[in-house]
Amino acid sequence: MDPIAQGVQSPTLSGRELASTMNGGTPGDDRVPSPAVFKGGCGDCSSGLAAPFPFSMAFQPIVDVVAGRVHAYEALVRGPAGEPALTVLAQVTHANRYAFDQSCRVRAIELASRLGMVESGATLSINFIPGAMYRPENCVRATLAAARRHRFPLDRLQFEVTEGEKVDDPDHLTAIFREYRARGFRVAIDDFGAGYAGLGLLARFQPDVVKLDMELIRGLNDDRVRRSIVGAVLSVCAELNIAAVAEGVETRAELDALRDLGVRLVQGYLFARPAFEELPPISALA
């Protein structure tokens, strides 16, 4: 999801408008450094790293409109008192983003567990930046330790990479996806249809979930072109056995149009806004 367009909504670490900041560069510099620059941090993966500054999480539900229940919650970074994501992400630098990425994963699992997400049966979805991992098999250790500590089932942890992030090393991203899946995690491509990779990324690796960017969803009930594009993407996902999530659903008309297209997983303000350190209730689906 686009953090600028949605105001307080922002992925845990990613987002098209924040790419250069997260990559340790200046605005307009969307290069992702080689994973080799993180070699020094990987020795600490087994024990995790201390958070470089205070932050917390909000949660927004992904709703199964057929079953009438919450399918998953996306963890969204916030300041320690609920401040907008940008106030936190502005503090992330090239030097501390590895520690921040590791801390985000652990914090999301800890808080979700405390709020009863394990008992609810919902999946926890966490964003990540591929360049923040050097060796995926090592950098995932703190995540595994947190999951064991809080008895969070690994198959209910989902890691999203936003398609809006430019990835100069797609082989590295594919390796991360494969390592995550081997560990039992689910993997997702966020903001699909909005960024650099598109169908090319999907051709290289088939994730468990594709999240359709809100720009494709906005007003599709009155837009034949958007409906056609979304319908085509849904057809590809069905052929490849990939679940599709429609992001940014804000109106009943959009929801009705998505239902007509066969979409069952949706996320957006129509159901719930992100809630700080809470699992928000969803609006009625009738």
Side-chain angles (χ1 to χ4, degrees), residues 43-210:
D44 297 317
C45 286
S46 59
S47 59
L49 298 173
F53 42 77
F55 69 91
S56 191
M57 295 284 174
F59 296 92
Q60 186 179 32
I62 298 169
V63 179
D64 184 332
V65 297
V66 174
R69 62 175 179 83
V70 174
H71 169 75
Y73 291 92
E74 182 177 5
L76 304 163
V77 71
R78 294 292 184 268
E83 298 90 341
L86 289 177
T87 64
V88 177
L89 297 176
Q91 302 176 67
V92 180
T93 67
H94 184 76
N96 67 22
R97 70 171 182 165
Y98 173 82
F100 181 58
D101 177 71
Q102 293 285 309
S103 299
C104 276
R105 299 157 185 258
V106 173
R107 176 61 174 161
I109 292 170
E110 290 175 345
L111 188 53
S113 178
R114 192 180 81 195
L115 294 172
M117 197 180 298
V118 173
E119 293 78 8
S120 76
T123 293
L124 172 62
S125 193
I126 305 171
N127 291 268
F128 77 98
I129 286 182
M133 299 186 74
Y134 175 55
R135 294 183 182 275
E137 67 275 19
N138 292 336
C139 294
V140 77
R141 291 176 183 173
T143 305
L144 291 169
R148 286 194 298 268
R149 188 163 60 249
H150 296 282
R151 299 182 180 180
F152 211 110
L154 298 186
D155 62 356
R156 282 168 46 205
L157 288 176
Q158 176 173 294
F159 288 91
E160 302 181 17
V161 60
T162 179
E163 195 228 318
E165 293 286 357
K166 185 177 180 182
V167 179
D168 290 332
D169 189 352
D171 290 335
H172 180 60
L173 176 57
T174 301
I176 293 173
F177 276 156
R178 287 175 176 160
E179 178 65 27
Y180 279 3
R181 187 169 277 168
R183 297 286 187 173
F185 304 145
R186 295 170 61 81
V187 293
I189 298 176
D190 193 13
D191 297 329
F192 188 83
Y196 297 96
L199 294 174
L201 178 56
L202 194 61
R204 295 183 67 93
F205 183 87
Q206 294 74 57
D208 299 291
V209 177
V210 161

Side-chain angles (χ1 to χ4, degrees), residues 22 114 130 224 239:
M22 302 310 302
R114 192 180 81 195
R224 180 181 62 85
E239 180 71 20

Side-chain angles (χ1 to χ4, degrees), residues 22-24 30-38 94 97 130-132 168-169:
M22 302 310 302
N23 295 336
D30 57 3
R31 295 168 297 171
V32 175
S34 166
V37 301
F38 300 103
H94 184 76
R97 70 171 182 165
D168 290 332
D169 189 352

